[in-house]
């Protein structure tokens, strides 16, 4: 059975390929050497350097990034939940249009969304800044929340609604006490996805940002581009990685919980 | 429970938001591509085909072709790597499967810019990898690992590989592996069983994977910008330069419309094939 | 207090199709009334009309003398046990059961808690009260669903195929539990099922439905022993259809009939018939006796025919034979003491046998339709 070993070998090599750069980065964030060509000893000085007053702009960018991520996921959670319910419960021409409208922003290259929003804002004479970034992020996050909540709705046992009505619940009570609690894991998972996508986004933000509205990915990008303070980037990235892993781990627990419940 | 009014309340907020901030900007993009550029970096009055004519400038067709070629090669490599992985994952059971899927997904969740930056640092001329390769005599003193097409391709594959693995894995998970035993029983070799039974069995996942890699790859900008050289620019770089470098917005709009038209091709192909498969199930 | 739940000319259409058409009947207070029929016969629709999830296009439904058509489901004094239980997956069993009383707001928190504890005891789930539905078995879910409905003290408990998702043994056990529970609470049960065994076992009365209409209403024994037509006879249990032409009257109880392929036989006359009319009898397989020799003790009210055993299936508690008599096949079921240990050699395939039955066991159907044979375990009664 030669054929059954080849896929496993490819798999193993791909895992190495996937992790080498990340591990390299993490290891080097503790490297004494300024250039990552040699290992000269363990240090935490790059992490300490992040707290230098001269790096205050990094923290400002972080704050802005988090503010944008939290607000855009909050808005997208509402928009996405509403549209997922519309798509799930209605089979009309309007929903067919809605469906295409929701999926297009997910499919087209983010570059196109960025440039078209920039042209739109320029044409309207809107000042670019945190608000335009927020609008752009909500625009792509709402679609992702819709997709996640829609997936949760597909495993939804409709008879539960009838059961609640049967036991004396009005429509509003059904929404509040049955539908929302049942969708909650999906909505939260969608929100977490939005949060990570928003924090992750470079391309769209790059187009719609204005002077003084730098986000963390923009900041990191310019540091990388100009090969400035590479060890600092290693340190930031490592912190970034740890935080993302924690969020992913949490959201995975949520989705696991939801699969257990649906059985 | 079903009422038109409720449908409107549920549909309107998101739909109106997307019309205002997605559809209208896309139309604006098309309109602006027919406008002249103003000297102040804005959009001028009147109508012109200047920006469209400028696409004939020998520079652009070369870059357009490079964009398509690099994206197609990336897609082929991603699918070739993802197929065996999906095959292995789909056949696994229980805890190990979940763990391995997580291992594949986790890098995908790390920040995109950081992932590309990691490669840039790893392949950096002063970096450990190049220095050790030189001291081992594998590459010469004048060979660069960065700023070439190979680096761009590798990082593109690195970035888009999860987009190929996930849909293929989802399809393989639903594939009935006993069909392979049936094929072997009927005289197919292991390889034939995979090409004649497994691959047709996950064809829909294959299509999705293709679209999910090809479409964002066509819009690449960060990767050629950070790990490519001046000769590896893709259309995304040109759009960014026209937008924020020399500030010719109509030209940026024209290039974007061209990119949009190119990405529509795989979308339409996938849509058509998917529909055909639904009407003539295999 | 009879006529507690009354259906008056109730019709429900989906598009052009009448799923329930002009149905009228009434359920008495405190009885277990079953709606029995194949899938698509309209029985679940009828139940949902009572629950209020649908409104009839024509006719009315009266509960305790009150027209309930305009009352929304949450206000109706009825509760449903759903086929797939429809438990709230995000709530514990205790919270599931407390759902109704909490919304009703008639009781204080303490009273609700007491009621919930009492209900948990009644359905024997007190030790699992704080589990989620995903953590308990199908049979336990079923009991939560019943408890959740009963705690609201509904005037009618609607049960929509409540046992269909369970395996056979559990189904039989829960059927007994349901009956005990009914005795304890004394609430009217409207029970929908497609399983005739379930309906026969639990019901005071059964309505057999087909294609949106009721074919027959009666006690289980009445329906089994005196089915009005070939559909009811074939849907409830197995039977043999014997068709023929009525012959001369013998006395006020019996007359002769020329049955197709069987010749002249004696038929019980429970209601008048004219000589020369077509008739069809339903003859249950367990009423036919098989023997190697012609039994010497036959009275004149017994019929006998010769046949050959073509097939036999040993089912443990009984054996099912397919016996060919001339051009027709009989289905015969016979119980036996010890199949291998009895003195007499057991019957085998190919054996020549006598088929005997008492004329009273052949019940004359009011209507016969050839296609109803398809409902039988082996429809090849005639070839």
């Amino acid at each position: 059975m030669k054929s059954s070993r080849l896929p496993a070998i490819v798999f193993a090599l791909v895992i190495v390929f996937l992790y080498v750069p990340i591990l390299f980065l993490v290891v080097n964030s503790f490297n004494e050497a300024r250039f990552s060509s040699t290992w000269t000893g363990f240090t935490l000085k790059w992490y300490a350097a992040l707290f230098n007053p001269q790096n205050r702009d990094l923290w400002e960018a972080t704050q802005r990034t988090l503010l944008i991520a939290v607000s855009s996921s909050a808005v997208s959670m509402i928009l996405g939940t509403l549209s997922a319910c519309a798509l799930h419960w209605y089979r009309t021409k309007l929903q067919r249009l809605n469906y295409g409208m929701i999926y297009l922003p997910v499919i087209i290259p983010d570059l196109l969304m960025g440039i078209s929003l920039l042209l739109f804002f320029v044409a309207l004479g809107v000042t670019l800044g945190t608000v335009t970034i927020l609008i752009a992020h909500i625009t792509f996050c709402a679609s992702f929340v819709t997709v996640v909540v829609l997936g949760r709705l597909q495993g939804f046992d409709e008879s539960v609604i009838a059961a609640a009505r049967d036991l004396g619940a009005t429509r509003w009570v059904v929404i509040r006490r049955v539908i929302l609690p049942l969708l909650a894991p999906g909505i939260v998972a969608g929100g977490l996805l939005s949060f990570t996508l928003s924090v992750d986004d470079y391309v769209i933000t790059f187009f719609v940002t204005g002077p003084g509205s730098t986000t963390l990915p923009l900041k990191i990008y310019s540091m990388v581009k100009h090969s400035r303070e590479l060890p600092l980037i290693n340190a930031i990235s490592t912190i970034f990685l740890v935080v993302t892993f924690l969020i992913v781990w949490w959201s995975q627990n949520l989705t696991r919980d939801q699969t257990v419940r649906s059985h | 429970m079903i009422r038109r009014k409720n449908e409107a309340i549920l549909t309107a907020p998101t739909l109106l938001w997307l019309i205002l901030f997605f559809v209208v900007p896309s139309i604006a993009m098309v309109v602006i591509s027919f406008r002249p550029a103003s000297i102040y970096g804005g959009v001028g009055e009147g109508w012109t085909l200047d920006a469209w004519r400028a696409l004939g400038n020998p520079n652009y067709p070369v870059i357009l072709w490079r964009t398509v070629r690099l994206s197609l090669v990336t897609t082929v490599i991603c699918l070739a790597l993802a197929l065996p992985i999906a095959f292995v994952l789909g056949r696994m059971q229980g805890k190990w499967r979940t763990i391995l899927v997580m291992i594949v997904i986790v890098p995908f969740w790390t920040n995109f810019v950081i992932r590309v930056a990691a490669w840039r640092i790893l392949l950096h001329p002063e970096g450990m990898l190049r220095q050790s390769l030189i001291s081992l005599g594998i590459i010469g003193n004048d060979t660069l690992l960065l700023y070439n097409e190979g680096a761009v391709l590798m990082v593109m594959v690195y970035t888009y590989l999860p987009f190929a693995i996930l849909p293929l894995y989802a399809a393989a998970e639903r594939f009935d592996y006993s069909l392979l035993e049936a094929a072997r029983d009927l005289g197919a070799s292991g390889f034939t069983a995979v090409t004649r039974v497994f691959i047709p069995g996950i064809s829909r996942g294959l299509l999705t994977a293709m679209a999910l890699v090809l479409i964002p790859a066509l819009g690449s900008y960060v990767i050629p910008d950070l790990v490519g050289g001046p000769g590896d620019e893709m259309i995304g770089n040109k759009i960014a330069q026209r937008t924020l470098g020399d500030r010719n917005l109509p030209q940026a709009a024209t290039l974007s419309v061209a990119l949009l038209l190119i990405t529509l091709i795989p979308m339409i192909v996938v849509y058509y094939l998917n529909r055909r498969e639904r009407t003539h199930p295999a | 207090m009879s006529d507690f739940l009354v259906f008056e000319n109730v019709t429900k259409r989906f598009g052009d199709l009448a799923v329930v058409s002009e149905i009228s009947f009434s359920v008495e207070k405190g009885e277990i009334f079953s709606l029995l029929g194949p899938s698509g016969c309209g029985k679940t629709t009828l139940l949902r009309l009572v629950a209020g999830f649908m409104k009839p296009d024509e006719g009315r439904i009266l509960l305790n003398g009150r027209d309930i058509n305009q009352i929304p489901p949450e206000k109706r004094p009825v509760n449903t046990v759903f086929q797939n239980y429809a438990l709230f997956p995000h709530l514990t069993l205790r919270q599931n059961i407390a759902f109704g009383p909490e919304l009703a707001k008639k009781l204080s928190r303490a009273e609700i808690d007491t009621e919930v504890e009492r209900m948990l005891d009644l359905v024997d789930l007190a030790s699992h009260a704080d589990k989620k539905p995903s953590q308990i078995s199908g049979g336990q879910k079923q009991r939560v669903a019943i408890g959740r409905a009963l705690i609201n003290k509904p005037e009618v408990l609607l049960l929509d195929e409540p046992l269909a998702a369970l395996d056979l043994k559990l189904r039989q056990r829960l059927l007994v539990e349901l009956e005990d529970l009914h005795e304890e609470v004394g609430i009217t049960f409207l029970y929908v099922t497609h399983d005739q065994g379930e309906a026969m076992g639990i019901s005071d009365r059964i309505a057999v439905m087909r294609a949106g209409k009721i074919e027959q209403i009666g006690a289980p024994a009445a329906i089994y022993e005196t089915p009005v037509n070939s559909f009811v006879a074939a849907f409830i249990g197995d039977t043999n259809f014997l068709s023929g032409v009525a012959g001369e009257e013998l006395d006020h109880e019996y007359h002769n009939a020329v049955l197709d392929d069987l010749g002249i036989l004696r038929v019980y006359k429970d209601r008048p018939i004219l000589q020369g009319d077509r008739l069809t009898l339903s003859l249950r397989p367990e009423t036919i006796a098989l023997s190697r020799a012609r039994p010497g003790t036959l009275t004149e009210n017994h019929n006998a025919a010769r046949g050959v055993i073509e097939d036999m299936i040993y089912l443990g508690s009984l054996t099912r034979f397919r016996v060919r008599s001339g051009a027709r096949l009989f289905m015969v079921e016979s119980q036996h003491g010890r199949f291998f240990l009895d003195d007499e050699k057991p019957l085998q395939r190919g054996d020549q046998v006598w088929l005997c039955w008492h004329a009273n066991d052949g019940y004359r159907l009011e209507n016969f339709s050839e296609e109803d044979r398809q409902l039988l375990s082996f429809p090849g009664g005639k070839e």
Side-chain angles (χ1 to χ4, degrees), chain C residues 140-153:
Chain C
Q140 289 168 332
K141 282 182 194 167
Q142 220 281 326
R143 296 210 294 261
V144 180
I146 292 172
R148 187 179 68 173
L150 276 182
I151 196 170
N152 307 292
K153 304 202 170 62

Side-chain angles (χ1 to χ4, degrees), chain A residues 160-173:
Chain A
V160 166
I161 296 175
R165 298 292 306 274
D166 186 69
L167 294 168
T170 57
R171 274 173 205 155
W172 173 240
V173 173

Side-chain angles (χ1 to χ4, degrees), chain A residues 16-52:
Chain A
V16 172
F17 175 59
L18 287 178
Y19 280 86
V20 159
I22 294 175
L23 289 178
F24 180 77
L25 218 140
V26 173
V27 169
N28 262 309
S29 73
F30 301 106
N31 189 353
E32 179 84 43
R34 182 150 202 93
F35 293 100
S36 55
S37 48
T38 44
W39 176 267
T40 55
F42 180 86
T43 182
L44 288 173
K45 69 176 178 187
W46 308 118
Y47 290 92
L50 291 178
F51 296 93
N52 274 353

Side-chain angles (χ1 to χ4, degrees), chain C residues 289-306:
Chain C
L290 289 184
S291 53
R292 283 184 204 283
R294 192 174 200 281
T297 54
L298 289 186
T299 67
E300 59 178 1
N301 291 334
H302 275 89
N303 290 312
R306 288 185 68 104

Side-chain angles (χ1 to χ4, degrees), chain C residues 146-300:
Chain C
I146 292 172
R148 187 179 68 173
L150 276 182
I151 196 170
N152 307 292
K153 304 202 170 62
E155 293 181 18
V156 181
L157 183 69
L158 308 171
L159 299 110
D160 184 8
E161 307 248 7
L163 306 180
L166 305 172
D167 59 47
L168 181 67
K169 279 272 178 327
L170 194 56
R171 208 152 66 214
Q172 288 167 344
R173 212 171 66 216
L174 280 170
L175 202 61
V176 177
E177 282 182 22
L178 258 181
E179 241 185 319
D180 291 348
L181 199 66
H182 176 257
E183 230 152 79
E184 209 162 322
V185 296
I187 290 172
T188 312
F189 279 22
L190 186 59
Y191 191 104
V192 160
T193 180
H194 68 277
D195 184 307
Q196 47 111 355
E198 234 173 88
M200 303 273 279
I202 199 171
S203 315
D204 294 313
R205 286 193 301 153
I206 299 174
V208 182
M209 292 184 67
R210 173 170 59 167
K213 291 197 181 282
I214 290 182
E215 299 283 333
Q216 188 172 4
I217 296 182
I223 287 190
Y224 186 75
E225 286 166 25
T226 56
V228 292
N229 58 27
S230 52
F231 170 76
V232 177
F235 188 74
I236 310 238
D238 267 306
T239 195
N240 296 288
F241 290 124
L242 310 178
S243 295
V245 179
E248 63 173 311
E249 189 166 301
L250 297 170
D251 52 43
H252 64 280
E253 268 194 307
Y254 298 96
H255 60 89
N256 271 340
V258 186
L259 297 181
D260 305 349
D261 310 318
L262 288 170
I264 297 173
L265 291 171
R266 184 169 280 238
V267 173
Y268 179 67
K269 189 184 71 172
D270 64 331
R271 40 187 203 282
I273 186 166
L274 293 175
Q275 196 167 346
D277 281 358
R278 284 292 296 177
L279 60 80
T280 300
L281 303 177
S282 160
L283 182 64
R284 299 286 182 189
E286 70 276 12
T287 59
I288 304 173
L290 289 184
S291 53
R292 283 184 204 283
R294 192 174 200 281
T297 54
L298 289 186
T299 67
E300 59 178 1

Side-chain angles (χ1 to χ4, degrees), chain A residues 36-81:
Chain A
S36 55
S37 48
T38 44
W39 176 267
T40 55
F42 180 86
T43 182
L44 288 173
K45 69 176 178 187
W46 308 118
Y47 290 92
L50 291 178
F51 296 93
N52 274 353
Q54 62 183 31
N55 286 325
R56 232 186 46 211
D57 51 343
L58 267 178
W59 293 102
E60 278 165 19
T62 308
Q63 277 175 21
R64 187 173 296 106
T65 306
L66 290 178
L67 175 78
I68 292 170
V70 168
S71 358
S72 61
S73 6
V75 178
S76 336
M77 276 158 84
I78 298 169
L79 289 177
T81 306

Side-chain angles (χ1 to χ4, degrees), chain A residues 152 155-174 176-183 185 257 259-263, chain C residues 48 51 53 72-76 78-82 84-91 95-96 99-103 132-134 141 148-149 152 158:
Chain A
R152 175 86 182 152
F156 193 83
D157 177 7
E158 303 282 333
S159 65
V160 166
I161 296 175
R165 298 292 306 274
D166 186 69
L167 294 168
T170 57
R171 274 173 205 155
W172 173 240
V173 173
V174 171
R176 201 163 46 86
R177 295 202 42 181
V178 178
I179 297 181
L180 278 181
L182 282 175
L183 289 187
D257 194 27
T259 46
V260 169
R261 279 177 189 179
S262 65
H263 282 295
Chain C
R48 293 175 68 83
F53 301 131
E74 65 267 25
K75 297 263 165 57
R76 294 193 183 196
V78 301
N79 287 108
T80 310
V81 176
F82 291 83
N84 55 359
Y85 325 122
L87 300 181
F88 304 119
H90 59 301
L91 303 180
Q95 291 167 329
N96 261 284
F99 193 88
E102 277 172 12
L103 290 176
K132 292 271 177 77
S134 58
K141 282 182 194 167
R148 187 179 68 173
N152 307 292
L158 308 171

Side-chain angles (χ1 to χ4, degrees), chain C residues 6 27 57 60 115 143 145 218 263 294:
Chain C
V6 181
V27 178
D57 295 311
R60 337 186 269 164
E115 279 293 293
R143 296 210 294 261
R294 192 174 200 281

